């Protein structure tokens, strides 16, 4: 009996934690409800006692593990249950910290409980983990897990959370926490929203312009700088600079240079094409989109040129020699030798640039602010507007998910193109 | 014959002109921003390239008109802390992902790769609401946590490339001589990885330094970084471009210096090893 009791503590503890907290949490719960035992379903069985129970369970798990060092299952359960307990604590604390009127005594009690359970679950976690990692072949998991955990928290958690939010109503000005579930309403709303379609159109236009120009200009620069000479070496070393400039700053500096009264690019263009002297670049929908794309191309084309230069450098010169001996002229050399050899790189670069164009955000804020009108409101910016200007979190989440779907398609192609054949 | 020489000479001149055009395209915006930062106010709104240089704009953004010093400190603290938190985890993870093959290695690597394609606006929505509930909006710690979503998967990928390139024989020899697995990593592989670690640190620093959206959403006054601080040059008279240029130069210069130290890895690094 004494041997089996602690063995039971861990799974029972985990089960209680999951059953009492996680799935039944109604959307509009307040701290008062928690205090009254609303969540556990048992009148008077408040947070504090539940916390105590969890703490006892997890400490029990720790002791048990300490005595049975190499039990894989037990260590696994201990790790999972303490992780769940930590999450519950985190949630509970954030509930208390949220702006709800609460009974002060309750808050104090609950806080002690939370700190207790947090300490206990950390102990349980470390104990479970240490026992797991003691075994020689578990060493790799010990090293890998901090990174995996952190990446899960900072990327997988938002993905899941945004997904759930996209099915809920939540206007921050009305309620401090999510309101009820509304099914697909947020998504349906997007399809009826002409500003959403406008942003889709803007995003596609921007992506096409910037991808085509970046790749074409990048290829052109690579071909120009391909020949070894002192001049070209100097130019090549400067190619990394535009990409290193903060995108937000790119937007500002291009806006400065395009100003109709004192912008330096504006006066250069006016002196070459006098008929364009009257164009106010960023007040014209077409030109605003164009220059927004150019500010992005300015960063990417040199980087893409460097990628192509790397790929060109790895092509054997014998191939070009052979083609020349066969009588190919420069154009034929490019069309039938260089281009086919660069094809894999071109595909990867195009996909990569497409993904980053769909994600582009910073320059919209600092260069055009989405204007003139809505001419440069990309989908990304529209999500931002809805989420953080109109503070409509549910709708913003749904829009964000539509963006993710588009990105996922390109990401799949990209991963296929990179690793499809040979694996990582 | 003479025709041939002439043709050659013309094509040489054309090549130089093309290379100069590239140079102009690449460097001109940077050059223009840099000289604007040193222009006195009456020259800022002209196309003059000859002017008496002045530091007045820098005095203006450090105290006389605006105060950029907290922004600068925030940027330095947040970027450094992000790097210092991400690197130890990345070293351990990349070592495992490179040296041990087990079920799920590929899945984890592709997962980490795909996180780079996640639009930041998706990450920031839940974290904004979470940080708001926890009351840590507008603190450096919140930005450090969320910046890990950009830098950590990136650093792991980057470092994995470096570990892959190291020969395994030394590690095997060390193990034969009685090192434990952890000692192998600490005493043998880590010192050999050091150039890679430093390169990765520089890249992660650049990413965190240039980050804009997270700082825009999650900060108000206390934790504002340099990139968001640029917005402060927008006054009721419109953007004060000479201040913007001066602040912009401060955003740019550290990154340029860092980029130069790692320029041989730049392409590989900025594309997560898509093209080597």
């Amino acid at each position: 009996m004494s041997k089996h009791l602690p063995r039971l503590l861990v799974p029972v503890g985990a089960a209680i934690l999951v059953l009492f907290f996680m799935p039944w949490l109604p959307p509009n719960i307040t701290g008062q409800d928690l205090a009254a035992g609303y969540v556990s379903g048992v009148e008077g069985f408040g947070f504090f006692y539940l916390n105590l129970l969890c703490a006892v369970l997890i400490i029990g798990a720790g002791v048990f593990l300490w005595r049975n060092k190499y039990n894989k299952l037990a260590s696994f359960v201990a790790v999972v249950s303490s992780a769940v307990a930590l999450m519950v604590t985190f949630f509970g604390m954030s509930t208390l910290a949220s702006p709800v009127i609460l009974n002060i005594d309750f808050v104090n009690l609950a806080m002690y409980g939370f700190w207790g359970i947090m300490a206990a679950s950390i102990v349980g976690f470390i104990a479970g983990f240490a026992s797991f990692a003691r075994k020689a072949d578990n060493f790799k998991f010990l090293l890998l897990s901090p990174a995996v955990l952190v990446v899960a928290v900072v990327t997988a958690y938002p993905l899941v959370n945004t997904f759930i939010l996209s099915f809920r109503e939540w206007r921050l000005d009305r309620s401090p926490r999510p309101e009820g579930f509304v099914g697909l309403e947020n998504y349906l709303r997007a399809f009826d929203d002409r500003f959403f379609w406008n942003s889709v159109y803007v995003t596609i236009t921007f992506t096409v312009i910037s991808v085509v120009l970046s790749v074409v200009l990048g290829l052109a620069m690579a071909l120009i700088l391909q020949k070894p000479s002192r001049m070209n070496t100097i130019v090549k070393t400067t190619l990394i600079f535009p990409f290193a400039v903060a995108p937000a700053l790119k937007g500002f500096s291009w806006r400065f240079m395009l100003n109709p009264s004192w912008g330096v690019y504006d006066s250069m263009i006016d002196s070459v094409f006098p008929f364009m002297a009257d164009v106010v670049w960023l007040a014209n929908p077409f030109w605003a989109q164009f220059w927004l794309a150019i500010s992005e191309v300015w960063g990417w084309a040199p980087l893409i040129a460097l990628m192509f230069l790397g790929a060109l450098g790895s092509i054997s010169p014998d191939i070009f020699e052979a083609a020349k001996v066969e009588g190919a002229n420069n154009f034929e050399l490019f069309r039938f030798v260089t281009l086919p050899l660069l094809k894999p790189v071109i595909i990867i670069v195009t996909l990569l640039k497409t993904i980053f164009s769909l994600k582009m955000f910073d320059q919209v804020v600092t260069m055009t602010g989405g204007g003139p009108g809505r001419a440069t409101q990309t989908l990304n910016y529209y999500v931002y507007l809805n989420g953080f200007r109109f503070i409509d979190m549910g709708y913003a989440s749904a829009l964000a998910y539509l963006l993710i779907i588009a990105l996922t398609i390109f990401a799949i192609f990209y991963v296929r193109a990179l690793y499809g054949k040979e694996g990582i | 014959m003479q025709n041939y020489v002439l043709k050659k000479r013309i094509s040489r001149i054309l090549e130089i002109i093309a290379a100069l055009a590239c140079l102009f395209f690449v460097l001109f915006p940077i050059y223009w921003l840099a000289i604007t930062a040193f222009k006195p106010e009456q020259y800022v709104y002209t196309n003059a390239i000859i002017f008496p240089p002045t530091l007045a704009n820098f005095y203006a953004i450090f105290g006389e008109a605006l105060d950029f010093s907290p922004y600068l400190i925030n940027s330095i603290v947040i970027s450094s802390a992000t790097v210092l938190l991400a690197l130890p985890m990345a070293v351990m993870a990349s070592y495992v992902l490179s040296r041990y093959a087990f079920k799920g290695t590929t899945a984890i690597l592709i997962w980490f790769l795909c996180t780079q394609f996640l639009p930041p606006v998706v990450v920031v929505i839940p974290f904004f609401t979470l940080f708001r509930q926890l009351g840590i909006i507008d603190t450096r710690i919140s930005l450090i946590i969320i910046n890990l979503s950009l830098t950590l998967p990136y650093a792991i990928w980057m470092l994995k490339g470096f570990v892959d390139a190291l020969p395994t024989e030394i590690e095997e020899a060390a193990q034969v001589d009685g090192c434990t697995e952890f000692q192998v990593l600490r005493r043998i592989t880590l010192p050999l990885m050091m150039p890679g670690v430093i390169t990765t640190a520089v890249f992660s620093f650049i990413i965190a330094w240039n980050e804009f959206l997270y700082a825009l959403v999650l900060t108000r006054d206390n934790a504002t970084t340099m990139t968001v601080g640029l917005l402060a040059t927008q006054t009721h008279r419109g953007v004060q471009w000479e201040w913007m240029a001066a602040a912009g130069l401060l955003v740019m210069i550290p990154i340029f210096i860092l980029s130069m130290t790692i320029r041989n890895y730049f392409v590989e690094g900025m594309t997560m090893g898509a093209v080597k």
Side-chain angles (χ1 to χ4, degrees):
Chain A
M1 187 62 196
S2 63
K3 205 181 167 195
H4 292 291
L5 188 64
R7 200 182 285 257
L8 277 174
L9 280 176
V10 178
V12 169
I16 289 179
L17 280 171
V18 172
L19 284 178
F20 277 97
F21 279 97
M22 300 312 283
W24 294 343
L25 227 46
N28 292 318
I29 191 164
T30 70
Q32 308 284 12
D33 299 332
L34 289 175
Y38 182 99
V39 182
S40 61
V42 184
E43 198 67 40
F45 189 67
F47 235 129
F48 180 64
Y49 301 101
L50 205 56
N51 280 339
L52 266 185
L53 186 66
C54 293
V56 169
L57 285 170
I58 288 159
I59 290 170
V63 172
F64 167 63
L65 282 167
W66 181 53
R67 298 181 62 118
N68 303 272
K69 271 171 189 157
Y70 301 119
N71 189 321
K72 213 170 191 173
L73 180 74
S75 52
F76 178 72
V77 175
V79 167
V80 170
S81 63
S82 21
V84 172
L86 261 180
M87 261 156 61
V88 171
T89 321
F90 202 56
F91 175 82
M93 282 190 160
S94 62
T95 311
L96 292 181
S98 69
V100 190
I101 304 148
L102 285 171
N103 180 343
I104 297 298
D105 289 341
F106 162 71
V107 173
N108 288 340
L109 266 184
M111 273 299 177
Y112 284 127
F114 281 136
W115 288 119
I117 194 173
M118 195 172 250
S121 41
I122 289 170
V123 170
F125 198 84
I126 293 171
F129 218 91
S131 102
F132 183 64
R134 276 262 168 79
K135 268 192 151 177
D137 64 327
N138 287 334
F139 171 75
K140 49 184 184 279
F141 296 113
L142 179 69
L143 288 189
L144 193 53
S145 50
V148 170
L149 275 177
V150 172
V151 177
V153 169
V154 292
T155 66
Y157 159 75
L159 264 179
V160 174
N161 196 318
T162 311
F163 186 67
I164 296 170
L165 269 185
S166 73
F167 296 104
R168 300 180 85 158
E169 169 91 30
W170 188 9
R171 296 195 50 103
L172 266 181
D173 48 352
R174 283 208 304 253
S175 158
R177 61 176 65 78
E179 296 162 75
F181 282 89
V182 291
L184 285 171
E185 202 176 277
N186 287 325
Y187 290 95
L188 295 177
R189 193 178 140 197
F191 289 108
D192 277 338
D193 181 353
R194 67 194 171 88
F195 299 139
F196 163 72
W197 289 112
N198 170 61
S199 71
V200 171
Y201 167 76
V202 171
T203 308
I204 293 172
T205 319
F206 170 81
T207 306
V208 171
I209 298 177
S210 66
V211 170
V212 170
L213 283 180
S214 300
V215 175
V216 170
L217 266 178
L219 189 59
M221 286 165 83
L223 292 173
I224 290 168
L225 302 175
Q226 181 189 8
K227 262 196 183 171
S229 76
R230 200 181 300 158
M231 172 87 191
N232 287 354
T233 317
I234 295 169
V235 180
K236 271 188 248 176
T237 54
T238 65
L239 289 183
I240 60 171
F241 288 130
F243 197 77
V245 173
L249 180 60
K250 270 179 213 166
F252 260 129
S253 62
W254 279 81
R255 184 168 137 204
F256 175 51
M257 294 186 300
L258 290 170
N259 187 292
S261 1
W262 61 76
V264 61
Y265 273 153
D266 178 69
S267 43
M268 279 181 199
I269 292 165
D270 290 351
S271 58
V272 182
F273 305 106
F275 60 91
M276 281 183 165
D278 293 337
V279 183
V280 180
W281 300 111
L282 296 180
N284 173 314
F286 170 77
W287 288 113
Q289 279 178 10
F290 175 79
W291 286 113
L292 190 67
I294 291 290
S295 78
E296 177 85 352
V297 170
W298 175 58
W300 273 89
L303 186 78
I304 289 176
L306 280 172
M307 291 186 210
F308 283 138
L309 282 168
L312 285 170
S314 65
I315 297 173
S316 157
D318 298 349
I319 299 173
F320 294 108
E321 285 306 316
K324 267 184 205 162
V325 171
E326 298 284 327
N329 63 30
N330 275 341
F331 175 73
E332 283 166 343
L333 209 60
F334 170 72
R335 172 68 188 79
F336 296 109
V337 181
T338 316
L339 213 52
L341 284 171
L342 284 181
K343 200 179 148 200
V345 187
I346 293 176
I347 291 173
I348 285 173
V349 161
T350 308
L351 287 169
L352 192 74
K353 178 73 194 83
T354 308
I355 292 167
F356 278 89
S357 294
L358 291 172
K359 279 173 58 174
M360 192 276 314
F361 175 82
D362 304 0
Q363 288 108 301
V364 182
V365 175
T366 56
M367 193 167 167
T368 64
R374 290 173 183 271
T376 53
Q377 273 186 5
T378 59
L379 186 49
N380 220 332
Y381 186 75
Y382 194 54
V383 176
Y384 165 80
L385 270 190
N386 275 291
F388 302 104
R389 292 286 168 77
F390 313 143
I391 49 177
D392 190 342
M393 292 297 164
Y395 188 43
S397 304
L399 290 173
Y401 249 82
L402 294 173
L403 178 61
I404 289 180
I405 292 168
L407 278 165
T408 309
I409 295 167
F410 285 103
I412 289 170
F413 280 127
Y414 178 74
V415 173
R416 281 252 178 93
L418 265 187
Y419 305 111
K421 277 156 206 153
E422 75 266 38
I424 293 180
Chain B
M1 190 64 206
Q2 200 164 15
N3 199 2
Y4 178 76
V5 172
L6 189 70
K7 230 178 171 178
K8 192 107 189 177
R9 194 165 284 168
I10 289 174
S11 84
R12 178 87 197 106
I13 290 170
L14 283 177
E15 270 166 27
I16 289 179
I17 291 173
L20 282 175
C22 291
L23 196 66
F24 175 82
F25 175 71
V26 168
L27 283 189
F28 187 78
I30 297 168
Y31 162 77
W32 196 253
L33 191 82
I35 64 166
T36 306
F38 295 102
K39 279 184 179 178
E41 204 183 341
Q42 66 268 31
Y43 289 91
V44 172
Y45 302 96
T46 64
N47 289 330
I49 51 170
I50 298 163
F51 56 88
T54 164
L55 286 176
N57 300 327
F58 292 93
Y59 290 126
I61 63 166
F62 281 105
E64 280 178 17
L66 297 167
D67 194 5
F68 265 73
S69 46
Y71 305 157
L72 194 59
I73 293 166
N74 283 335
S75 267
I76 293 169
V77 170
I78 290 166
S79 310
S80 320
T82 307
V83 171
L84 290 178
L85 269 177
L87 272 187
M89 288 189 273
V91 167
M92 295 191 294
S94 60
Y95 177 72
V96 171
L97 290 171
S98 169
R99 287 293 187 254
Y100 298 86
F102 55 91
K103 247 191 205 166
T105 322
T106 316
I108 290 175
L109 278 170
I110 290 187
W111 172 35
F112 286 177
L113 178 67
C114 288
T115 59
Q116 296 299 295
F117 305 147
L118 200 62
V121 75
V122 175
V123 178
V124 85
I125 290 174
F127 274 104
F128 172 74
T129 55
L130 180 71
F131 290 155
R132 199 167 156 272
Q133 285 188 327
L134 294 175
I136 56 169
I137 286 274
D138 202 12
T139 58
R140 289 173 191 160
I141 194 89
S142 62
L143 272 183
I144 292 167
I145 291 171
I146 200 166
N147 273 343
L148 284 177
S149 74
L150 295 172
T151 50
L152 181 58
Y154 173 80
I156 291 168
W157 258 91
M158 192 72 204
L159 271 174
K160 183 185 172 281
F162 284 101
V163 185
D164 282 345
L166 293 178
T168 53
E169 283 81 9
I170 311 171
E171 289 162 28
E172 281 156 17
Q175 220 151 18
V176 170
D177 287 345
C179 274
T180 64
E181 278 173 303
F182 188 71
Q183 281 172 330
V184 171
L185 171 58
R186 214 183 76 77
R187 295 183 192 280
I188 310 292
T189 317
L190 187 58
L192 290 172
M193 271 167 86
M194 245 11 219
V197 173
I198 291 164
T199 310
T200 309
V202 170
F203 275 118
S204 307
F205 189 90
I206 293 177
I207 291 173
W209 181 275
N210 283 350
E211 198 288 316
F212 179 73
L213 173 60
Y214 294 155
L216 181 68
V217 171
L218 294 178
T219 64
R220 297 284 173 278
D221 326 286
N222 298 326
T224 307
T225 58
M226 281 300 279
T227 46
V228 175
L230 290 174
L231 295 172
T233 58
Q234 187 129 27
T235 65
H236 59 278
R237 287 184 296 158
V239 178
Q240 297 297 302
W241 290 106
E242 66 277 23
W243 299 345
M244 194 285 297
L249 202 62
L250 290 176
V251 174
M252 236 161 47
I253 291 297
I255 296 307
F256 282 172
I257 295 168
L258 288 174
S259 315
M260 284 312 282
T261 64
I262 49 151
R263 66 177 181 279
N264 293 335
Y265 301 100
F266 194 83
V267 176
E268 208 178 312
M270 277 302 165
T271 56
M272 284 185 100
V275 181
K276 291 198 172 148

